[in-house]
Every structure is written in C-alpha cells, then in structure tokens.
Amino acid sequence: MRSSSKTFDRHTAVILEHSHVTAVELTHSAKGFVLTAAGSFQAQTNFDTPAGEQSERGIRQREKAFAGELGTFFKKIGASSRHISFGLNTGMLMLQTVPMDESLDDRQRAEQALWELKNFDIDSTERSHALITHRLAGDTAQPDTARVVIVGVRKSFVSFLTNTAAILSSKLAIVDVQHFCAENALIANYGQDAAVKTLLIGMDDHALNASTLEHGQPIDVQVRSFSGDDTRMIFDIVRSSGAEKIFLHGSGASYQMCETIQRTLEVPVALIDPFKSVLLPASLKGLADIKARRHEFTAAIGLAMRTE
C-alpha cells in the first residue's frame, strides 16, 4: 500500500505455466487494490523447455517472439504498466524441502543447496543457477535441524525474462514461484483466518503444489507430479497436514474437486477468491469470464499485490 492518496502505481504480474500465460494488472493506491486488466492466452513457447542449447541468435529470437505475444495480449486486455513481474510454474525450476543442520553457516548452506540442485540437474553450477533458501516455520522431529525450502532457477531464464520486459520498454520487478505468489494472495484475502491451520493446494494437469500455513507462515511445502484426477494423493496430503481449512487454486482446481474432498474428509474446502480485497470495476474487459475463473488468477493477483 502507498501512504499518499495521490500515488497510483500499476503493476503487471504474468504467470507462466508450461505454455499457458495468465496476467493481471493491479492499481495500487491508498484506498486499496483495483483490477485494471486480466486475461490469459496460450503462448507458442513451452517454458518448461530450457533454451540453453539454442544459439545466442535463437535466444534473442525467442525473446522477441514472446515479447511480441505479450505486447499484443497486453493491448487486448488493456494493460499498460511498465513494471512486470513473473511467476514461474514448478516445471521451470527446482523446488525441494530438505532438512538442514541449524549450525551451518551461509557458505555451508549454499553448498548443501548446490548439492541438492545437482541431484535435480547434474550439470548445474553456481554460475548456471540462482539459488534461494527459505527456512520453514514450525518444529522438526530432529533437534537442531530446520526444514528448508530450496529454489533453483536457471540464470539464463531470468535473463530471458529481463530481456523480454526490456523489449516491451518495461522493467522486470520480481521473479517468484507461482505457488508462493498464491500464498501471498491467500494471506492478503483471508488474513483474518491466519490462526487456523490452512492447506493451500495449487493444481494443473502436470503438478500439484501444497503448502500448510499456520499464523500466516508456511510450515510445509510439497511438490508432486499430478495427473489431474489423483484424489488419493490429495487425500493423503490433506490428512498429513492436519489442516482445519483448505483452499484450492490453479487451472486444475474445480468446484467438483472441492466437493469430493469435503464429502470424503469432512474438512471445509473452497476455491480461493483472490478478489476479496480487490475492486473489480464494471468496465473491466472480460469481467464475467474473470469472475467465473477467479481461482485461476490467484497467483497472478498475489504477485501483482507485491511492491518490493
């Protein structure tokens, strides 16, 4: 939020999910958030496929092609922000939760993170990937051991996004994991329920991401391969989380899935509404479709709300 009522900043958030692109534009003001544009389209590029083997010329062509698609799409939905953030699906990066000795210093933690990354991608190095670690809240079964989320993303992909934004005469603001963006939307819209242990599940046709939050802090994060209809896996995650409330988001989520989980496990389940704290003007392009698919915009909204 901004302290001055005269300041109105627009932020565009783009979520990349395989080749599917979802974007929103939020206006930030002292009075709150206003949705000024939203929509989705199918890109020509599958972003799960690294561009590392391409020539420099091929990579530049890929950047120009995607920038052209984004520019056309932004005009269609009426987005005009010059600050663009990207949320990445877990197919585009490494995300693992691992135990880590509390006594390790920064260098040793970085070494373990790189070792975990090499198990994921044997050719990875400190130069090829950006590595981020985040300590989860909550106790662990082992004394002096923390549970840490490690995220590794190719630096070449970050450069691709930076250059794409530059071609659009925009500035790259934030790059984050899609599901973590959705966590931000959950906290922003349902903060009054922060004391309740909550399970947030994001799903598409290929993967399921789940995080358990308590007092607004993640205490567990999981990534699983997902066929789209593996309810047993979902039931196992729900039971092990001990959650008192469940929210679903993503292109694979549905009212039917909510009903199935609630009927079987007797835990309150709902599709997340990322617009609870966002004003939706009646003049917004595609408003009816946006409302009907609101849970699919969860990650984009959570990312667009951020300003750091």
Side-chain angles (χ1 to χ4, degrees), residues 14-299:
V14 178
I15 303 298
L16 305 180
E17 186 178 286
H18 314 301
S19 59
H20 191 70
V21 178
T22 302
V24 303
E25 181 185 75
L26 281 185
T27 294
H28 295 213
S29 76
K31 295 182 178 179
F33 300 106
V34 181
L35 184 66
T36 48
S40 60
F41 73 97
Q42 204 70 20
Q44 295 299 311
T45 299
N46 183 341
F47 300 101
D48 292 353
T49 304
E53 299 301 321
Q54 295 186 14
S55 64
E56 184 174 345
R57 181 179 179 182
I59 293 173
R60 298 290 88 80
Q61 290 175 338
R62 194 184 196 201
E63 292 167 352
K64 289 179 180 179
F66 182 46
E69 287 183 294
L70 270 185
T72 300
F73 173 64
F74 287 162
K75 288 180 181 178
K76 179 180 178 181
I77 64 175
S80 59
S81 168
R82 293 307 178 194
H83 293 85
I84 302 178
S85 296
F86 288 93
L88 311 184
N89 183 267
T90 49
M92 303 165 197
L93 47 82
M94 179 203 78
L95 192 157
Q96 291 183 357
T97 301
V98 301
M100 192 172 286
D101 193 321
E102 294 268 42
S103 66
L104 298 182
D105 58 27
D106 290 346
R107 179 185 60 80
Q108 291 169 323
R109 283 195 293 270
E111 288 176 352
Q112 180 174 341
L114 181 59
W115 183 84
E116 300 288 353
L117 178 63
K118 285 182 175 293
N119 288 331
F120 176 81
D121 182 350
I122 194 170
D123 296 323
S124 57
T125 67
E126 290 177 329
R127 293 185 178 182
S128 67
H129 284 70
L131 279 168
I132 298 172
T133 60
H134 175 73
R135 187 187 188 282
L136 292 171
D139 299 326
T140 64
Q142 298 176 320
D144 303 320
T145 300
R147 298 184 71 240
V148 175
V149 175
I150 301 175
V151 178
V153 60
R154 286 188 175 274
K155 292 180 179 179
S156 59
F157 193 31
V158 177
S159 295
F160 167 79
L161 299 176
T162 302
N163 295 336
T164 297
I167 293 170
L168 294 168
S169 300
S170 299
K171 181 180 179 181
L172 178 64
I174 299 168
V175 178
D176 202 351
V177 179
Q178 177 185 10
H179 187 68
F180 295 162
C181 300
E183 283 184 3
N184 191 55
L186 175 70
I187 294 167
N189 286 283
Y190 297 87
Q192 70 277 10
D193 297 330
V196 177
K197 184 180 283 189
T198 303
L199 178 64
L200 177 64
I201 301 177
M203 55 183 71
D204 59 33
D205 293 337
H206 303 278
L208 184 150
N209 307 304
S211 53
T212 306
L213 295 94
E214 197 165 27
H215 301 293
Q217 296 294 322
I219 61 174
D220 183 57
V221 178
Q222 299 183 46
V223 178
R224 306 275 191 93
S225 297
F226 185 62
S227 64
D229 58 358
D230 190 348
T231 53
R232 180 177 296 181
M233 178 191 297
I234 297 175
F235 293 162
D236 289 344
I237 290 174
V238 173
R239 290 190 182 102
S240 64
S241 72
E244 302 167 71
K245 185 175 291 188
I246 303 167
F247 288 99
L248 306 185
H249 76 92
S251 58
S254 66
Y255 288 105
Q256 292 78 7
M257 183 63 75
C258 290
E259 292 174 356
T260 298
I261 298 172
Q262 184 159 317
R263 184 173 59 249
T264 305
L265 301 179
E266 299 181 347
V267 179
V269 186
L271 293 177
I272 191 171
D273 180 3
F275 302 132
K276 281 174 64 68
S277 60
V278 177
L279 177 64
L280 303 181
S283 59
L284 190 66
K285 292 182 180 180
L287 180 58
D289 181 60
I290 292 168
K291 286 183 174 180
R293 298 190 296 120
R294 59 181 65 213
H295 58 283
E296 296 183 28
F297 292 96
T298 300

